[in-house]
Amino acid sequence: MTLGLGACTYTYVFDHSWEATLERLAALEFKWLEVMTAPPHIWPRDLDPKARETLRRQIESYGMRVFSSQPAWLELNLVAFNPGIREEVVKQMKENIELLHDLGGKVLDIFPGRREGLVAPSMETAWALAKEIISACVEDAERYGVTLAIETVPRGFIETGAQAAQMAEEIGSPAVGVCVDIANVNAVQSPIAALEEAKERLALVHLSDNYGEHIHAPIGEGNVDFAAVASKLQEIEYDGVSLLEVMTRDKVDEAFGQSKLRLEELGWQS
């Protein structure tokens, strides 16, 4: 069984033009992308049907395809107390579902929200708000053939593979799955345990390294056992793509290139 490997584009998003980003990732021989759908690169409201077709053809001209996408989640919050913000989140999620479909992608990564601010929601309230927001987008996801993948995020209320899988089960749609972010779960549990807990709903995997802190370092610059991760993905027969999510502004191409080589030695193929 082949383990597919792709790259997240957003490390490049502020320092490089969209064309330069595609050129750099194509030069590293990546075939699959996760795109951030926010300025200055891709913004759904700027793209009519013709522009979307042009964008898809541009990506494919570099020998690449979109597998997944995500909005700029640091600017959006599913569990904000402000109902206007939650309404905007639903609006943007629905816009992203349609855009992802138009670009030929399959999975929309969902950052479940942040419990922050002067009056942070309780764990129970955050869970209910996130469930409400995601559920509001299920009909669109089902219609467009897109999977909403709830990401594991430390220091929140959906940190583990089990919690993300529970949320997906409670929503109850086949269009809702789980994104296990290996670096994120390494801060709270074994990545292998997270993959086991989420295996029935696993739709997306993010790959980066750390020593248990909430950073996304190049592969080999932490204590994650990626050989064990590869073995587990093979065991549970994960047939999606793993997206390399290195976040650095220091020698970005080198960080992606060396990480890619290390992962390919363990069985991933771009």
Side-chain angles (χ1 to χ4, degrees):
M1 176 180 175
T2 300
L3 295 175
L5 178 64
C8 297
T9 64
Y10 33 86
T11 296
Y12 290 88
V13 82
F14 297 112
D15 292 333
H16 302 281
S17 69
W18 175 243
E19 291 76 12
T21 296
L22 292 180
E23 290 172 0
R24 288 169 178 269
L25 291 173
L28 292 169
E29 300 183 337
F30 284 105
K31 299 295 187 293
W32 295 99
L33 300 179
E34 178 168 304
V35 295
M36 176 175 280
T37 54
H41 281 188
I42 300 173
W43 178 230
R45 297 174 194 175
D46 286 343
L47 301 171
D48 61 20
K50 183 177 180 180
R52 294 176 184 211
E53 177 63 23
T54 299
L55 176 59
R56 180 173 177 170
R57 290 181 181 276
Q58 180 193 35
I59 294 169
E60 292 174 352
S61 73
Y62 285 93
M64 297 184 290
R65 294 178 60 187
V66 172
F67 180 77
S68 55
S69 68
Q70 62 169 289
W73 287 118
L74 292 179
E75 300 173 342
L76 300 169
N77 189 3
L78 275 70
V79 302
F81 270 133
N82 186 325
I85 293 176
R86 298 201 305 275
E87 289 170 6
E88 179 64 20
V89 170
V90 171
K91 184 177 181 179
Q92 291 202 25
M93 283 177 61
K94 290 184 175 183
E95 291 171 345
N96 273 271
I97 289 168
E98 183 177 358
L99 175 62
L100 181 62
H101 166 268
D102 293 345
L103 295 180
K106 299 180 179 180
V107 182
L108 182 65
D109 179 51
I110 304 297
F111 191 99
R114 303 178 302 282
R115 296 173 58 243
E116 59 185 23
L118 292 175
V119 183
S122 67
M123 296 285 282
E124 294 78 10
T125 298
W127 186 275
L129 289 174
K131 183 177 177 181
E132 178 183 342
I133 295 295
I134 298 169
S135 297
C137 300
V138 162
E139 183 178 345
D140 291 69
E142 291 176 344
R143 181 168 70 252
Y144 285 106
V146 167
T147 299
L148 307 176
I150 302 166
E151 183 175 342
T152 53
V153 181
R155 300 196 301 274
F157 60 100
I158 298 181
E159 299 182 320
T160 67
Q163 289 167 332
Q166 180 184 344
M167 175 66 81
E169 289 294 328
E170 288 186 13
I171 295 171
S173 168
V176 180
V178 173
C179 169
V180 171
D181 186 302
I182 296 300
N184 284 352
V185 295
N186 195 47
V188 296
Q189 71 174 146
S190 159
I192 308 307
L195 292 170
E196 175 64 26
E197 292 169 355
K199 64 182 180 181
E200 300 300 329
R201 289 278 188 172
L202 189 62
L204 185 63
V205 177
H206 283 166
L207 301 177
S208 52
D209 212 344
N210 62 31
Y211 284 101
E213 66 274 55
H214 191 197
I215 64 172
H216 296 271
I219 307 302
E221 296 188 9
N223 61 8
V224 175
D225 185 347
F226 283 97
V229 171
S231 179
K232 188 63 180 180
L233 290 174
Q234 293 274 8
E235 176 191 323
I236 65 177
E237 299 182 346
Y238 172 64
D239 60 358
V241 175
S242 303
L243 279 302
L244 183 60
E245 189 187 31
V246 175
M247 296 186 183
T248 179
R249 291 197 172 188
D250 182 32
K251 300 180 180 178
V252 175
D253 293 334
E254 181 178 325
F256 271 86
Q258 290 299 318
S259 294
K260 178 174 178 284
L261 287 175
R262 290 176 176 135
L263 291 170
E264 288 174 339
E265 290 172 355
L266 298 173
W268 276 275
Q269 296 181 25
S270 60

